[in-house]
mmCIF file of all heavy atoms in Angstrom:
data_model
loop_
_atom_site.group_PDB
_atom_site.id
_atom_site.type_symbol
_atom_site.label_atom_id
_atom_site.label_comp_id
_atom_site.label_asym_id
_atom_site.label_seq_id
_atom_site.Cartn_x
_atom_site.Cartn_y
_atom_site.Cartn_z
ATOM 1 N N PHE W 93 -32.245 54.761 172.805
ATOM 2 C CA PHE W 93 -33.386 55.060 173.666
ATOM 3 C C PHE W 93 -32.969 54.868 175.124
ATOM 4 O O PHE W 93 -32.329 53.875 175.478
ATOM 5 C CB PHE W 93 -34.549 54.129 173.310
ATOM 6 C CG PHE W 93 -35.728 54.202 174.229
ATOM 7 C CD1 PHE W 93 -36.362 55.413 174.474
ATOM 8 C CD2 PHE W 93 -36.203 53.062 174.858
ATOM 9 C CE1 PHE W 93 -37.461 55.479 175.324
ATOM 10 C CE2 PHE W 93 -37.299 53.105 175.694
ATOM 11 C CZ PHE W 93 -37.926 54.326 175.932
ATOM 12 N N GLU W 94 -33.320 55.812 175.988
ATOM 13 C CA GLU W 94 -32.873 55.772 177.375
ATOM 14 C C GLU W 94 -34.006 55.538 178.365
ATOM 15 O O GLU W 94 -33.833 55.732 179.572
ATOM 16 C CB GLU W 94 -32.130 57.070 177.722
ATOM 17 C CG GLU W 94 -30.862 57.267 176.896
ATOM 18 C CD GLU W 94 -30.117 58.527 177.270
ATOM 19 O OE1 GLU W 94 -30.654 59.327 178.076
ATOM 20 O OE2 GLU W 94 -28.994 58.717 176.767
ATOM 21 N N GLY W 95 -35.163 55.110 177.886
ATOM 22 C CA GLY W 95 -36.269 54.818 178.790
ATOM 23 C C GLY W 95 -35.969 53.632 179.689
ATOM 24 O O GLY W 95 -35.157 52.757 179.354
ATOM 25 N N GLU W 96 -36.637 53.569 180.836
ATOM 26 C CA GLU W 96 -36.393 52.502 181.802
ATOM 27 C C GLU W 96 -37.024 51.174 181.395
ATOM 28 O O GLU W 96 -36.583 50.112 181.841
ATOM 29 C CB GLU W 96 -36.929 52.919 183.175
ATOM 30 C CG GLU W 96 -36.169 54.086 183.798
ATOM 31 C CD GLU W 96 -36.670 54.411 185.190
ATOM 32 O OE1 GLU W 96 -37.578 53.699 185.669
ATOM 33 O OE2 GLU W 96 -36.151 55.366 185.791
ATOM 34 N N LEU W 97 -38.060 51.226 180.567
ATOM 35 C CA LEU W 97 -38.767 50.003 180.171
ATOM 36 C C LEU W 97 -38.169 49.475 178.872
ATOM 37 O O LEU W 97 -38.812 49.426 177.822
ATOM 38 C CB LEU W 97 -40.264 50.294 180.019
ATOM 39 C CG LEU W 97 -40.934 50.820 181.287
ATOM 40 C CD1 LEU W 97 -42.346 51.298 180.981
ATOM 41 C CD2 LEU W 97 -40.950 49.745 182.382
ATOM 42 N N HIS W 98 -36.907 49.087 178.940
ATOM 43 C CA HIS W 98 -36.121 48.782 177.744
ATOM 44 C C HIS W 98 -35.323 47.504 177.984
ATOM 45 O O HIS W 98 -34.431 47.473 178.836
ATOM 46 C CB HIS W 98 -35.185 49.965 177.460
ATOM 47 C CG HIS W 98 -34.445 49.873 176.168
ATOM 48 N ND1 HIS W 98 -33.489 50.788 175.789
ATOM 49 C CD2 HIS W 98 -34.521 48.979 175.144
ATOM 50 C CE1 HIS W 98 -33.008 50.472 174.602
ATOM 51 N NE2 HIS W 98 -33.613 49.375 174.194
ATOM 52 N N VAL W 99 -35.653 46.449 177.255
ATOM 53 C CA VAL W 99 -34.914 45.186 177.343
ATOM 54 C C VAL W 99 -34.086 45.037 176.077
ATOM 55 O O VAL W 99 -34.633 44.886 174.981
ATOM 56 C CB VAL W 99 -35.860 43.987 177.518
ATOM 57 C CG1 VAL W 99 -35.073 42.682 177.551
ATOM 58 C CG2 VAL W 99 -36.687 44.139 178.786
ATOM 59 N N ASN W 100 -32.773 45.094 176.230
ATOM 60 C CA ASN W 100 -31.862 45.032 175.095
ATOM 61 C C ASN W 100 -30.551 44.411 175.581
ATOM 62 O O ASN W 100 -29.959 44.898 176.540
ATOM 63 C CB ASN W 100 -31.616 46.438 174.539
ATOM 64 C CG ASN W 100 -30.799 46.433 173.259
ATOM 65 O OD1 ASN W 100 -29.755 45.812 173.170
ATOM 66 N ND2 ASN W 100 -31.281 47.166 172.256
ATOM 67 N N PRO W 101 -30.084 43.341 174.945
ATOM 68 C CA PRO W 101 -28.870 42.671 175.422
ATOM 69 C C PRO W 101 -27.649 43.587 175.458
ATOM 70 O O PRO W 101 -26.790 43.429 176.337
ATOM 71 C CB PRO W 101 -28.669 41.524 174.426
ATOM 72 C CG PRO W 101 -29.516 41.877 173.246
ATOM 73 C CD PRO W 101 -30.657 42.661 173.776
ATOM 74 N N HIS W 102 -27.563 44.550 174.538
ATOM 75 C CA HIS W 102 -26.407 45.445 174.522
ATOM 76 C C HIS W 102 -26.278 46.212 175.837
ATOM 77 O O HIS W 102 -25.165 46.509 176.284
ATOM 78 C CB HIS W 102 -26.521 46.437 173.359
ATOM 79 C CG HIS W 102 -26.328 45.823 172.009
ATOM 80 N ND1 HIS W 102 -25.104 45.408 171.547
ATOM 81 C CD2 HIS W 102 -27.219 45.547 171.018
ATOM 82 C CE1 HIS W 102 -25.241 44.910 170.326
ATOM 83 N NE2 HIS W 102 -26.514 44.986 169.981
ATOM 84 N N LEU W 103 -27.405 46.546 176.453
ATOM 85 C CA LEU W 103 -27.386 47.306 177.709
ATOM 86 C C LEU W 103 -26.838 46.476 178.872
ATOM 87 O O LEU W 103 -26.485 47.030 179.913
ATOM 88 C CB LEU W 103 -28.793 47.797 178.045
ATOM 89 C CG LEU W 103 -29.394 48.803 177.052
ATOM 90 C CD1 LEU W 103 -30.844 49.094 177.411
ATOM 91 C CD2 LEU W 103 -28.583 50.091 177.027
ATOM 92 N N ALA W 104 -26.777 45.162 178.673
ATOM 93 C CA ALA W 104 -26.244 44.276 179.711
ATOM 94 C C ALA W 104 -24.892 43.696 179.309
ATOM 95 O O ALA W 104 -24.430 42.714 179.912
ATOM 96 C CB ALA W 104 -27.245 43.157 179.988
ATOM 97 N N GLY W 105 -24.271 44.292 178.303
ATOM 98 C CA GLY W 105 -22.961 43.812 177.867
ATOM 99 C C GLY W 105 -22.991 42.534 177.061
ATOM 100 O O GLY W 105 -21.964 41.849 176.939
ATOM 101 N N ILE W 106 -24.138 42.190 176.493
ATOM 102 C CA ILE W 106 -24.295 40.973 175.679
ATOM 103 C C ILE W 106 -24.376 41.368 174.211
ATOM 104 O O ILE W 106 -25.013 42.363 173.859
ATOM 105 C CB ILE W 106 -25.555 40.199 176.103
ATOM 106 C CG1 ILE W 106 -25.406 39.726 177.558
ATOM 107 C CG2 ILE W 106 -25.810 39.016 175.187
ATOM 108 C CD1 ILE W 106 -26.694 39.192 178.155
ATOM 109 N N ASP W 107 -23.745 40.598 173.350
ATOM 110 C CA ASP W 107 -23.720 40.893 171.918
ATOM 111 C C ASP W 107 -25.095 40.625 171.304
ATOM 112 O O ASP W 107 -25.449 39.481 171.023
ATOM 113 C CB ASP W 107 -22.653 40.032 171.233
ATOM 114 C CG ASP W 107 -22.482 40.375 169.762
ATOM 115 O OD1 ASP W 107 -23.249 41.212 169.242
ATOM 116 O OD2 ASP W 107 -21.577 39.796 169.118
ATOM 117 N N GLY W 108 -25.863 41.686 171.101
ATOM 118 C CA GLY W 108 -27.184 41.550 170.500
ATOM 119 C C GLY W 108 -27.142 41.297 169.009
ATOM 120 O O GLY W 108 -28.152 40.916 168.408
ATOM 121 N N ASP W 109 -26.000 41.504 168.389
ATOM 122 C CA ASP W 109 -25.868 41.198 166.968
ATOM 123 C C ASP W 109 -25.819 39.694 166.726
ATOM 124 O O ASP W 109 -26.305 39.204 165.709
ATOM 125 C CB ASP W 109 -24.592 41.823 166.396
ATOM 126 C CG ASP W 109 -24.652 43.334 166.339
ATOM 127 O OD1 ASP W 109 -25.689 43.913 166.731
ATOM 128 O OD2 ASP W 109 -23.656 43.945 165.912
#
Side-chain angles (χ1 to χ4, degrees):
F93 173 55
E94 297 182 353
E96 293 184 2
L97 301 170
H98 187 185
V99 178
N100 186 310
H102 289 287
L103 296 174
I106 297 169
D107 185 355
D109 291 359

